[in-house]
Amino acid sequence: MPKNVDVAIIGGGLIGCSIAYFLGRRGVKSLVIERNHVGSEASGANAGALWPQGEAKGPGPFIWLALASNKMFPTLSDELGEDIHYRRSGMMHVILDDEDVAKANETVAWQSALRLRQEQLTGDQARRLEPALSPKVMGALYYENEGHLDPLLLVNAYSKAARRLGAEVWTGTLVTGLEAKGGRVTSVATAKGPVQAGTVVNAAGPWSCEIAHYLGLNVPVVPLRGQIVTTQALPPIFEMCIVSKRGYFVPKAAGNVIIGSTREFAGYKRAVTFQAIQNLVRGAAEVIP
């Protein structure tokens, strides 16, 4: 017998599990279908960075969506009933050379035009806030409302909260096809049998293009590999998130520091490379010796 649900969600990452949670809040029952385990891909392997202003490249919908999202996190642990290790640490985007100075001036100009707040610091002011910064740091942009969390705790918190609201989560379940009638997807073929749904959500991340191929559709999404390094637990060196052209550095509650990240069009290859790890670590040593 086919499984019948209101909404079938393909992908048990942060997007899929959060959709299931917010549907549950509205009384809609959903089924999350995940081929591995919850948060097994990019959702569980990142720095957990919350840098809406620091990562925005210019004015537009992204910055407003990111700022609205950032306002949700201070109370999200209480809402979901799970500690997600949220910390509003602040973020400092450090300036290392004249090219960085020009980019920082552009950032200040467009963000100030939108009445978004940031602080421009000299190198000495930056080092007063974070004494571990290198003497090479010429200045910085400081964003006090930015921070970080534990991404795997976050996706698992959404998954648990969604299930408390009536969602089901199938892990270790491969999607093998889609069926459509009248221009709508009506059924998902899985390793556990067919799932009939009023709505199907494709939340498979970089695999969303593969899911779309079952319908003969071309979704222009490709995988982008980002290698990161995590250190062993260290005595406290710095408190806020530090971002630079040589990498980003995020101190975690357990004492380890996340160092990232590469951006590589390497297909679905997960392997780390010696060259990337070496470059990331050298970058960290240059900015925070």
Side-chain angles (χ1 to χ4, degrees):
M1 289 287 293
K3 174 84 172 175
N4 286 279
V5 296
D6 295 330
V7 180
I9 302 166
I10 303 170
L14 177 57
I15 300 300
C17 291
S18 62
I19 288 173
Y21 167 72
F22 285 107
L23 286 173
R25 279 180 40 174
R26 290 158 178 78
V28 178
K29 297 296 188 286
S30 62
L31 169 65
V32 177
I33 307 167
E34 166 56 45
R35 66 176 188 170
N36 292 319
H37 57 80
V38 167
S40 58
E41 301 294 349
S43 292
N46 62 81
L50 303 172
W51 307 330
Q53 282 184 249
E55 289 199 311
K57 304 303 181 186
F62 175 84
I63 182 65
W64 300 118
L65 287 168
L67 287 167
S69 175
N70 198 43
K71 291 179 181 177
M72 298 169 62
F73 286 100
T75 59
L76 194 56
S77 286
D78 291 337
E79 179 181 333
L80 298 178
E82 300 280 340
D83 185 3
I84 58 174
H85 288 184
Y86 168 77
R87 188 172 169 221
R88 197 187 81 168
S89 61
M91 187 272 264
M92 190 185 295
H93 200 299
V94 301
I95 295 167
L96 297 174
D97 55 29
D98 291 340
E99 180 184 35
D100 285 348
V101 171
K103 289 181 179 179
N105 289 338
E106 291 175 6
T107 297
V108 170
W110 73 259
Q111 290 193 2
S112 296
L114 297 178
R115 299 187 177 180
L116 298 176
R117 185 167 179 252
Q118 77 291 122
E119 290 186 47
Q120 294 177 265
L121 306 176
T122 66
D124 287 341
Q125 288 171 330
R127 279 181 289 275
R128 276 197 288 273
L129 288 175
E130 291 290 2
L133 286 174
S134 167
K136 295 180 181 179
V137 171
M138 299 166 57
L141 296 182
Y142 171 59
Y143 303 95
E144 66 176 354
N145 291 321
E146 312 215 328
H148 60 96
L149 49 71
D150 186 309
L152 193 54
L153 291 180
L154 177 64
V155 67
N156 278 306
Y158 269 123
S159 174
K160 292 175 184 177
R163 281 181 279 194
R164 287 195 297 270
L165 293 171
E168 290 186 69
V169 179
W170 286 1
T171 56
T173 305
L174 187 67
V175 169
T176 57
L178 298 174
E179 183 178 336
K181 292 180 181 177
R184 290 181 60 84
V185 179
T186 57
S187 180
V188 182
T190 80
K192 289 184 178 178
V195 176
Q196 293 182 346
T199 301
V200 176
V201 177
N202 181 358
W207 289 270
S208 58
C209 52
E210 306 295 332
I211 297 298
H213 286 166
Y214 289 127
L215 300 172
L217 299 176
N218 179 34
V219 173
V221 174
V222 296
L224 181 68
R225 181 172 70 183
Q227 298 185 53
I228 60 175
V229 175
T230 181
T231 70
Q232 64 184 9
L234 301 168
I237 301 172
F238 56 102
E239 294 185 1
M240 68 181 69
C241 302
I242 307 295
V243 178
S244 76
K245 65 169 52 178
R246 299 291 281 126
Y248 61 69
F249 320 107
V250 182
K252 292 297 183 178
N256 59 310
V257 175
I258 304 295
I259 302 170
S261 166
T262 64
R263 294 172 61 86
E264 306 164 74
F265 292 102
Y268 294 101
K269 297 177 183 176
R270 292 177 177 81
V272 297
T273 63
F274 175 80
Q275 188 63 56
I277 299 305
Q278 186 180 58
N279 289 342
L280 290 170
V281 172
R282 282 178 172 170
E286 181 179 331
V287 178
I288 308 173

